[in-house]
Amino acid sequence: MAREFARVGVVGLGTMGAGIVEVFARGGIEVVAVEVDQAAADKGRETLEASTQRAVDRSKLAADDREALLGRVSISTNLDDLADVDLVVEAVPERLELKAEVFAALSKVCGPQTIFASNTSSLSITELSVRTERPHQVVGMHFFNPAPVQALVEVVRTVVTDPEVLSDVTELAVSLGKSPVVCGDRAGFIANNLLFTYLNQAVGMFESHYAGREDLDAAMRYGCGYPMGPLALMDLIGLDTAYEILDTMYRQSRNQRHAPAPILKQMITAGLLGRKSGRGFYTYAAPGSPEVVADNLTPPPPGQEGGDHRPVQVVGVVGTGTMATGIAEVFAKSGYDVVVRARTEAKGEGVVAGIRKSLEKAVVKGKLSESGRDETLARVRPTTSFDDLAGCDLVVEAVAEDLEVKQAVFGALDDVVKQGAILATTTSSLPVVECAAATQRPDDVVGMHFFNPASVMKLVEIVSPITTAPDVTATVRAVTASIGKHPVLCGDRAGFIVNALLFPYLNDATAMLEANYATADDIDSAMKNGCGLPMGPFALLDVVGLDVSLAIERSLYMEFRVPGFAPAPLLEHLVTAGRLGRKTGQGFRDYQKK
Ligand SMILES: NC(=O)c1ccc[n+]([C@@H]2O[C@H](COP(=O)([O-])OP(=O)(O)OC[C@H]3O[C@@H](n4cnc5c(N)ncnc54)[C@H](O)[C@@H]3O)[C@@H](O)[C@H]2O)c1
């Protein structure tokens, strides 16, 4: 029988504390909130009243219910008022000594059954628990900001937490309409640990000029469906807060990837804290404003970089698979003449049929006219001869992901395509410079990494090895924008932007699961609910395919030799066992056979 929580205490009525009070009171629980002095207590009450009034104004709460909710809350400046509560949640500032003092004082005031919970984001629950005389009754209860809105609550256990206490607190969170997850006591818990490692890596890419801030952010938004890019998110969180969390993580893990990127310290020292100070990675209209304004790092729009551009009207596509078909369709739809080189006539006709089918769907949905369909199809010309690509201004290679095969294609293109044309590869994992080196014109070779399905996904990573001429990169950026895609520029390193940021994070999640730190369901839920990601890491790995993921992780590891990039053994074992994800019916999870 789960424990009754009729009365709870909250210590600290700041941003988080006031929100936590609201969550409990909304759930019908009597709350006693304690602040440090009367002024802070009054401020806390104002926050609570304003937040609940907003809920009434938005018709999320009835006016009567608001009155009842406020009637359940009493606010004091004396910890002694917490003598008879069933649970206390501490939400005072993030300083170990301060929190430890609060818990030591609570130990003397509260009855022996009272559970103590801390809302700390990064401090050790174990260290706090030993400052009480009841370590087995201490847990983390990590709410997210704003607490009344965010569903995720990380319930943190230590090695001595009583299992009943853990399940009681978890059930309480469920009864309050939250989605709790349970995890061990590691700095950052689940969501921040995975999130900040990724954010720190993105900051490192910016710092090393691997890609620009707009491009890093657009890559993760358009490539992964993230609600915000990493640098915009850093600005929202605050660089000082992010630094503290990373620093705590690093001190505990000694993991180099948690060591805050050096530029963070410099920016903080210079007062660039993010949105709150009006400047961080971006510049804002005013301190606290969400509106980004242009500054000296803002890139020119595609096509307006200055310098030369090459004319592009006729586009060649080499290959007949999923990507080649999608890419040919996208170019033809945008008015380019497209020559598709296939190995056989049947394969060439297959591409045309594939494009026709896709266009037909658009006609049925009323998104394309019949004449638009016919004109688009008339622009696509299949051929089996490389010679027919001679007059192309741009050729996009999309054959099998095999270096020898691609190099042979580039050799053949080099023989026939007119001088001055741009030769692009859509490889997702091979070095673009290897394709460039297979020609006598490496300056003209560039990567154009489309995402699947090419007709839908907006992102194209434009990969320029050290050999690529600047006008080639600029031309391809403008051409990409002209076909309705979002170009981002990056260097020629394994994983480009998206995979280089995505797969280490997926690997970290796998290692977390392997260490029995939390369950797959809880890790997925934490990343979906806490970070607003479209899918949790294991759901995503199962969709991508574990064999494909393993290959990408291996290539990242081989390129960077960062210890944390080495694929987690659990992934290797699942692949060896033939559990490849959704496509085989089993991966991290089991799926119903279709
Ligand atoms: N802000 C976030 O996004 C977020 C999210 C999750 C967890 N947290 C964690 O929640 C905790 C609180 O953060 P916050 O953002 O609400 O901070 P805050 O500064 O807004 O609020 C802290 C409150 O505690 C009060 N306080 C200080 N000493 C006290 C004492 N001895 N007794 C009673 N009250 C005292 C302060 O007057 C202040 O009102 C921190 O541990 C933080 O890491 C923050």
Side-chain angles (χ1 to χ4, degrees):
M1 176 71 191
R3 184 193 301 237
E4 282 267 334
F5 291 91
R7 227 168 124 75
V8 305
V10 175
V11 183
L13 261 181
T15 310
M16 292 309 293
I20 295 167
V21 167
E22 185 178 332
V23 170
F24 285 127
R26 268 199 198 202
I29 297 173
E30 298 280 325
V31 190
V32 183
V34 179
E35 253 296 348
V36 70
D37 56 31
Q38 195 54 47
D42 293 343
K43 195 161 170 250
R45 179 171 288 284
E46 274 169 31
T47 311
L48 181 65
E49 288 177 352
S51 167
T52 48
Q53 186 57 49
R54 270 200 304 279
V56 172
D57 295 344
R58 291 180 189 162
S59 309
K60 301 231 162 110
L61 185 68
D64 290 355
D65 290 342
R66 173 174 181 263
E67 287 308 313
L69 182 161
L70 294 174
R72 282 191 283 274
V73 179
S74 57
I75 300 181
S76 115
T77 55
N78 188 352
L79 278 185
D80 290 344
D81 291 336
L82 299 177
D84 62 348
V85 297
D86 304 298
L87 162 77
V88 183
V89 180
E90 162 283 306
V92 302
E94 190 78 342
R95 293 200 304 275
L96 183 71
E97 269 319 305
L98 175 64
K99 288 183 191 279
E101 275 167 27
V102 167
F103 280 116
L106 287 171
S107 289
K108 297 200 183 90
V109 170
C110 298
Q113 297 305 316
T114 306
I115 295 173
F116 292 169
S118 172
N119 183 51
T120 178
S121 305
S122 59
L123 300 173
S124 160
I125 303 296
T126 312
E127 273 189 54
L128 292 173
S129 76
V130 297
R131 305 291 276 267
T132 73
E133 83 314 343
R134 62 185 83 185
H136 55 287
Q137 273 166 238
V138 179
V139 290
M141 215 176 167
H142 186 221
F143 288 85
F144 286 68
N145 187 20
V149 178
Q150 295 272 14
L152 181 63
V153 179
E154 290 174 318
V155 180
V156 185
R157 58 174 149 71
T158 72
V159 286
V160 293
T161 307
D162 183 342
E164 258 182 40
V165 168
L166 197 69
S167 59
D168 289 343
V169 170
T170 310
E171 279 182 41
L172 169 65
V174 172
S175 75
L176 296 169
K178 298 294 174 192
S179 304
V181 299
V182 174
C183 60
D185 185 20
R186 196 193 274 188
F189 310 131
I190 301 173
N192 283 351
N193 190 291
L194 293 176
L195 175 70
F196 279 87
T197 313
Y198 144 75
L199 293 177
N200 200 35
Q201 193 191 338
V203 173
M205 282 183 170
F206 171 80
E207 186 169 20
S208 65
H209 298 272
Y210 176 67
R213 60 183 184 191
E214 282 85 357
D215 286 357
L216 284 163
D217 281 348
M220 297 316 281
R221 283 176 47 227
Y222 295 121
C224 297
Y226 285 9
M228 274 182 121
L231 300 180
L233 182 55
M234 285 291 283
D235 274 358
L236 178 64
I237 292 167
L239 272 56
D240 48 347
T241 305
Y243 184 94
E244 287 304 323
I245 293 178
L246 281 164
D247 196 45
T248 310
M249 282 166 53
Y250 176 73
R251 274 187 274 117
Q252 193 178 89
S253 66
R254 297 289 155 188
N255 178 344
Q256 189 62 36
R257 290 168 62 224
H258 298 159
I263 196 173
L264 285 175
K265 191 76 188 196
Q266 292 171 38
M267 292 176 75
I268 294 164
T269 308
L272 312 184
L273 304 183
R275 270 193 203 184
K276 60 186 169 190
S277 70
R279 240 185 104 185
F281 288 100
Y282 293 90
T283 303
Y284 298 87
S289 165
E291 189 197 334
V292 173
V293 294
D295 60 19
N296 61 351
L297 288 184
T298 306
Q304 295 177 29
E305 296 89 350
D308 292 339
H309 280 70
R310 301 188 187 183
V312 176
Q313 181 50 45
V314 185
V315 175
V317 174
V318 185
T320 51
T322 315
M323 292 310 287
T325 306
I327 292 166
E329 177 186 338
V330 169
F331 276 106
K333 269 199 297 212
S334 303
Y336 291 90
D337 292 323
V338 181
V339 185
V340 180
R341 191 270 168 181
R343 277 176 296 170
T344 64
E345 271 180 26
K347 282 181 191 281
E349 288 308 325
V351 171
V352 176
I355 297 175
R356 183 179 293 120
K357 199 170 153 196
S358 170
L359 296 176
E360 204 56 63
K361 269 194 209 154
V363 171
V364 170
K365 284 188 192 156
K367 290 186 180 168
L368 184 70
S369 66
E370 291 191 1
S371 61
R373 172 199 61 200
D374 296 341
E375 283 162 19
T376 302
L377 277 171
R379 283 194 282 271
V380 182
R381 185 161 63 90
T383 174
T384 55
S385 165
F386 270 108
D387 292 341
D388 288 334
L389 299 174
C392 290
D393 305 306
L394 164 69
V395 181
V396 182
E397 164 281 309
V399 301
E401 190 73 351
D402 177 317
L403 188 56
E404 275 183 31
V405 175
K406 287 197 190 285
Q407 284 181 322
V409 167
F410 273 85
L413 292 175
D414 196 20
D415 289 341
V416 299
V417 181
K418 68 179 183 189
Q419 289 301 316
I422 296 173
L423 307 180
T425 169
T426 191
T427 180
S428 46
S429 62
L430 300 168
V432 176
V433 72
E434 296 273 11
C435 297
T439 70
Q440 300 298 315
R441 43 174 125 172
D443 301 13
D444 299 336
V445 177
V446 68
M448 272 183 101
H449 182 214
F450 284 83
F451 288 69
N452 189 19
S455 58
V456 178
M457 296 289 285
K458 265 192 96 66
L459 186 68
V460 179
E461 288 175 317
I462 296 174
V463 184
S464 303
I466 49 168
T467 42
T468 308
D471 66 329
V472 167
T473 304
T475 301
V476 169
R477 183 170 178 248
V479 167
T480 302
S482 78
I483 55 174
K485 301 292 174 196
H486 193 105
V488 297
L489 305 183
C490 64
D492 186 23
R493 299 200 311 216
F496 309 140
I497 298 176
V498 173
N499 284 353
L501 286 174
L502 177 64
F503 281 87
Y505 144 72
L506 295 175
N507 196 37
D508 287 343
T510 311
M512 211 177 230
L513 177 67
E514 189 166 34
N516 285 316
Y517 178 71
T519 64
D521 286 351
D522 280 358
I523 296 172
D524 272 356
S525 163
M527 298 318 285
K528 264 185 77 166
N529 295 320
C531 303
L533 306 189
M535 271 187 183
F538 301 109
L540 181 58
L541 281 160
D542 277 351
V543 168
V544 172
L546 303 197
D547 50 344
V548 174
S549 302
L550 181 61
I552 295 173
E553 289 183 9
R554 279 192 180 137
S555 77
L556 286 169
Y557 178 61
M558 291 312 286
E559 178 113 326
F560 298 103
R561 309 289 170 136
V562 172
F565 285 9
L570 175 60
L571 183 67
E572 308 235 14
H573 295 170
L574 288 167
V575 171
T576 307
R579 298 179 65 125
L580 306 183
R582 280 185 182 258
K583 60 188 170 188
T584 59
Q586 285 184 313
F588 282 97
R589 297 200 172 86
D590 291 346
Y591 299 89
Q592 296 248 312
K593 293 254 167 356
K594 280 193 191 138

